[in-house]
Amino acid sequence: MTLLELFQLLKKHLQLVVVLPVACALVMAVASIAVMRNTYTAQTSMYILSTASAAQGQTTNYNELTASQLLANDVAALLESDRVEKDAAEALGLEDLKDYDVSVASETTTRVISLSVTGPDPESAANVANEMAKQVSIVAQDVQVADSINVIDEAVAPDSPSGPNRPLYVAVAFMAGLFLAVAIVVLMDMLDTRVRSAEDAEELLGVPVIGRIPAMKKGGK
């Protein structure tokens, strides 16, 4: 099937090609509003303080940058550890933090790390982020990873939700419906073996058509 034949086939079934994608998009839009809950993301940033590195002076070199990154990685691992999450949940009076998504990011040349907490409520997301920043400082001192972890910017309750990305879901549903419509149209054409024209007969039998019988109207002479 050539591209032109495909376009002609889609044009013939234009109603299906239009209605199915729109229907899929509408169903996804309704589902995303009715079923998917809004999520909120709160962020806080921290600075890792190490007395040993401070005593060496302010000179920055390759070894210092490497040490900073390793230290940031250690603290990032602590933030995602079960102990920090458990201690933060207990301090907030929660059973656990399974309803929250924790993400940690660190710069490659500094001891600044960022903590993002996504949850179903803006206030609780901010509270969890701030409590985890507090608990990781305690744990870091206990295991002697760092002398202290100081909060640079406390997390505040976000004003608007961070997810779900409903427009993206609707767009994906529309494209899926479009591909499904094209597949149905092509499959219908492949399964349809009826001969509709002389050209179809020639292609099917492999012999030229030498005559045609004109269509007669009912009651015609």
Side-chain angles (χ1 to χ4, degrees):
M1 179 182 296
T2 65
L3 188 59
L4 180 58
E5 291 174 339
L6 177 60
F7 283 148
Q8 292 175 345
L9 189 61
L10 295 179
K11 185 178 179 180
K12 182 179 178 181
H13 299 276
L14 187 59
Q15 185 176 2
L16 175 63
V17 175
V18 173
V19 171
L20 186 56
V22 173
C24 290
L26 289 176
V27 170
M28 177 55 69
V30 173
S32 64
I33 295 174
V35 179
M36 299 180 184
R37 298 186 304 171
N38 287 338
T39 57
Y40 300 84
T41 301
Q43 296 180 330
T44 181
S45 58
M46 295 156 279
Y47 181 79
I48 308 169
L49 181 62
S50 174
T51 304
S53 61
Q56 296 175 0
Q58 300 298 323
T59 302
T60 301
N61 52 36
Y62 176 78
N63 292 333
E64 176 68 13
L65 295 178
T66 302
S68 297
Q69 182 59 41
L70 291 175
L71 189 58
N73 290 341
D74 290 341
V75 175
L78 288 178
L79 279 168
E80 297 176 337
S81 66
D82 293 338
R83 177 178 173 182
V84 170
E85 292 189 3
K86 180 181 178 182
D87 291 348
E90 290 180 353
L92 294 171
L94 301 174
E95 184 177 349
D96 53 51
L97 300 182
K98 292 182 179 180
D99 293 335
Y100 300 88
D101 182 28
V102 178
S103 176
V104 183
S106 60
E107 299 292 337
T108 57
T109 59
T110 69
R111 292 191 179 93
V112 176
I113 59 177
S114 299
L115 171 66
S116 299
V117 176
T118 301
D121 178 76
E123 292 290 343
S124 62
N127 292 337
V128 169
N130 290 326
E131 188 60 37
M132 289 187 68
K134 177 181 177 181
Q135 294 298 328
V136 75
S137 180
I138 297 174
V139 174
Q141 294 178 59
D142 289 345
V143 298
Q144 298 182 353
V145 170
D147 294 316
S148 66
I149 300 174
N150 301 328
V151 174
I152 301 174
D153 297 312
E154 287 192 356
V156 295
D159 297 327
S160 57
S162 58
N165 193 343
R166 293 185 176 91
L168 177 60
Y169 294 152
V170 171
V172 171
F174 180 86
M175 294 303 298
L178 181 60
F179 286 127
L180 181 60
V182 173
I184 292 175
V185 169
V186 173
L187 184 60
M188 288 171 55
D189 182 69
M190 293 176 60
L191 296 178
D192 189 358
T193 58
R194 291 178 295 176
V195 178
R196 296 187 178 86
S197 64
E199 290 76 14
D200 291 342
E202 289 180 352
E203 183 179 354
L204 180 63
L205 300 176
V207 295
V209 175
I210 60 176
R212 302 188 183 204
I213 301 175
M216 302 292 292
K217 295 182 180 179
K218 282 188 177 181
K221 295 182 180 180

